[in-house]
Amino acid sequence: MTSTIVEKPSFLRSRLGGLPRPFWALWGGTLVNRLGTMVMPFTGVYLTQARGLSLTAAGVVMAVFGAGSLLSQLLAGVLADRIGRRATLAGGMLATAVMMLALGYSTSLPAILASMFVLGLVVDAYRPASNALVADLVSPVERPRAYGLLFWAINLGYSVGMTAGGWLAQLGFHWLFWVDAVSCVAFAVLVWRAVPETRPAEREAPGGFGMVLRDRLMVGFTLVTLGNALLYSQTFTTLPMAMTEKAGLTPGQFGLAMALNGVLIVIVQPLVSGWLGRLDPARTLAMGLAVMGVGFALTAFVTTTFWLAVTIAVWTAGEIVTAGIAGAIVARLAPAHLRGRYSGLFGFAWSAAAVLAPLLGSGLLEAAGQRALWFTVGAIGFVSAAGMLALGPAIRRR
C-alpha cells in the first residue's frame, strides 16, 4: 500500500503562482512603465519653473489635460473591444511616448495646451485594455489576486519613479520626458511580443456603450467607484494643502508621513491579496471603503506628523482591502465582448474624480475649514460603502 504526500505550496508560490505567463508579461510591462512615470507628478513644477507659466495658466493647462482624460477612458474602452486589447494598449503607450516628447519640447502656450490635451487622451488609454486582458486571461477565482498584483506593481513602480524623478529634475526636466517615453515604448513592445490578443471574434460581439449604460447594476457600481475615487484623489490634491497650510506641517514632514502609504502597500498588499480574493467581493469592497472613510474623517484632528501617519495607516489599510476587488467586480459584470467598454466606464469614474476632487476639497477647505472637509470626505466613504452593500445581492446573482 502506498501513500501520496501532497506538498504544501511555498509561501512565495501561494501568492505568485498559478497565473498565466501572459499576465506576468503584462505585470512586468506595468512595473517598467510605472518606474518611468516621472513627468505627471512634476507637471505643475515643470510648467511654472521650466516654461514660466503663471499659476493660473498652469491650472488651465492641467484642466485641459483632465478634459482629455475624461474622454480617454470611454474611447479606449471602445477601441479595446473593436480593434483589440493588445493593439489598444500598445498603441496607447506608443502615442504616450510621442506626446511626452512633444510636451517636453513645446515652448508656446498653444503648443503646450495641445500637447497636454492629447496626452490626457492617451496616457491612461492602456487601462481599459489592461483590465480587459486580465479578465480574459485569468480565471474568475484568481482575478482579485491578479488585479491586486497589478495594483502592487503600479505603487512599487510609482514610488521608485517619484524618487528618481525628483533627482533627475534637478539635472534637467528633459530627462523626465525621455525616461517616461522610453518606459512607454518598452511597455508597448513587451505586450506586443508576449501577450496574445484576447478579444472575442466580431460575430460574438453585439452591442455597444448603450448596452453598458442600460446595465443599471454597472451604472450603480460606477457611482460607488466615483465615491471611492473621490476619497483616494484627496491624497494628492487637497491633503497636501490642508496639512501644510492649515495643520502647520512642513512639506518634509508631510512627505515623510506619506511615505508610509507606499511602504505599507508594498509590504502588506501581496501578503493579503490571496486571502481577500476568497471573500465576498461586495462586502470586502464595502469594508475597505468604510475603513478609508474612517481614516479620512480622523484627518480632521491631525496637528502633528505622528497623528497624520496614524490616519494614513488607517486609510491605507482600506486602500489595500479594496485593491483588486473593484476590477474583479467589473470583470464579473461585463460580458466578454464588452469588457473594454465596461472597463472604460469604470475608468471614467476615476478620471471624473481627478477633476472633481480638487474642486470639492479646495472649496470646502477654504470655505468651511478642516473639519468640514474631512468629515465630508469620510461621509462619502460611508455612503459608498452602504451603496456597495446594497448592490451586493445583485452582484452575487450576476
Side-chain angles (χ1 to χ4, degrees):
M1 180 176 179
T2 61
S3 62
T4 302
I5 300 176
V6 179
E7 292 187 8
K8 185 178 180 179
S10 67
F11 176 83
L12 191 62
R13 182 173 179 79
S14 66
R15 277 140 184 88
L16 303 181
L19 297 171
R21 183 174 296 179
F23 167 80
W24 288 113
L26 179 65
W27 184 91
T30 301
L31 177 62
V32 169
N33 179 245
R34 293 297 103 174
L35 286 170
T37 300
M38 299 181 179
V39 171
M40 299 317 300
F42 296 96
T43 302
V45 179
Y46 164 74
L47 292 173
T48 54
Q49 294 186 8
R51 291 298 176 241
L53 299 185
S54 66
L55 290 175
T56 300
V60 171
V61 171
M62 293 302 293
V64 167
F65 174 85
S69 180
L70 280 174
L71 296 174
S72 162
Q73 296 301 291
L74 302 179
L75 176 62
V78 173
L79 291 176
D81 287 334
R82 286 191 175 177
I83 69 172
R85 308 1 177 164
R86 185 175 65 164
T88 300
L89 196 158
M93 283 291 105
L94 293 177
T96 299
V98 171
M99 294 316 303
M100 283 291 177
L101 297 180
L103 177 61
Y105 288 95
S106 296
T107 55
S108 67
L109 182 57
I112 292 172
L113 285 168
S115 298
M116 282 291 280
F117 177 75
V118 180
L119 185 61
L121 275 175
V122 299
V123 70
D124 280 334
Y126 81 95
R127 290 185 183 275
S130 175
N131 288 342
L133 271 170
V134 174
D136 295 341
L137 292 168
V138 179
S139 65
V141 71
E142 295 289 1
R143 282 176 192 155
R145 184 162 64 99
Y147 285 116
L149 286 169
L150 280 181
F151 170 82
W152 183 75
I154 290 170
N155 279 274
L156 176 61
Y158 188 78
S159 299
V160 176
M162 275 280 288
T163 304
W167 177 72
L168 283 175
Q170 299 176 28
L171 303 178
F173 281 102
H174 64 280
W175 285 106
L176 305 186
F177 292 96
W178 276 101
V179 170
D180 216 329
V182 169
S183 74
C184 290
V185 172
F187 191 8
V189 171
L190 183 59
V191 167
W192 191 259
R193 291 180 61 88
V195 179
E197 180 53 66
T198 60
R199 178 177 65 95
E202 193 67 30
R203 66 178 184 275
E204 301 173 14
F209 246 116
M211 184 174 176
V212 182
L213 295 175
R214 287 192 295 272
D215 185 343
R216 291 183 294 178
L217 185 53
M218 181 60 197
V219 171
F221 180 68
T222 302
L223 293 175
V224 170
T225 301
L226 178 61
N228 183 8
L230 284 172
L231 261 70
Y232 180 74
S233 296
Q234 298 302 324
T235 64
F236 55 84
T237 55
T238 313
L239 185 62
M241 293 188 296
M243 293 299 100
T244 56
E245 295 184 16
K246 300 293 184 179
L249 303 185
T250 66
Q253 290 172 322
F254 175 75
L256 179 64
M258 277 299 294
L260 181 63
N261 172 254
V263 170
L264 288 174
I265 289 173
V266 169
I267 294 175
V268 177
Q269 198 274 326
L271 303 180
V272 301
S273 61
W275 171 70
L276 290 171
R278 293 191 292 271
L279 304 178
D280 176 76
R283 295 191 184 102
T284 304
L285 186 55
M287 177 178 66
L289 289 170
V291 172
M292 289 181 71
V294 170
F296 281 109
L298 290 174
T299 309
F301 305 103
V302 167
T303 56
T304 66
T305 307
F306 173 78
W307 286 112
L308 174 60
V310 170
T311 64
I312 289 172
V314 174
W315 59 253
T316 298
E319 184 185 3
I320 290 171
V321 170
T322 62
I325 301 297
I329 290 176
V330 174
R332 176 180 290 194
L333 297 180
H337 62 280
L338 292 176
R339 281 174 178 157
R341 290 175 172 88
Y342 272 69
S343 296
L345 185 60
F346 173 72
F348 178 81
W350 284 90
S351 295
V355 176
L356 295 174
L359 299 176
L360 170 69
S362 60
L364 278 172
L365 182 63
E366 185 173 1
Q370 285 259 64
R371 293 197 173 186
L373 165 64
W374 298 118
F375 288 160
T376 300
V377 173
I380 291 173
F382 294 130
V383 170
S384 300
M388 195 65 242
L389 289 176
L391 294 175
I395 291 174
R396 288 187 284 275
R397 288 194 297 271
R398 178 75 62 92

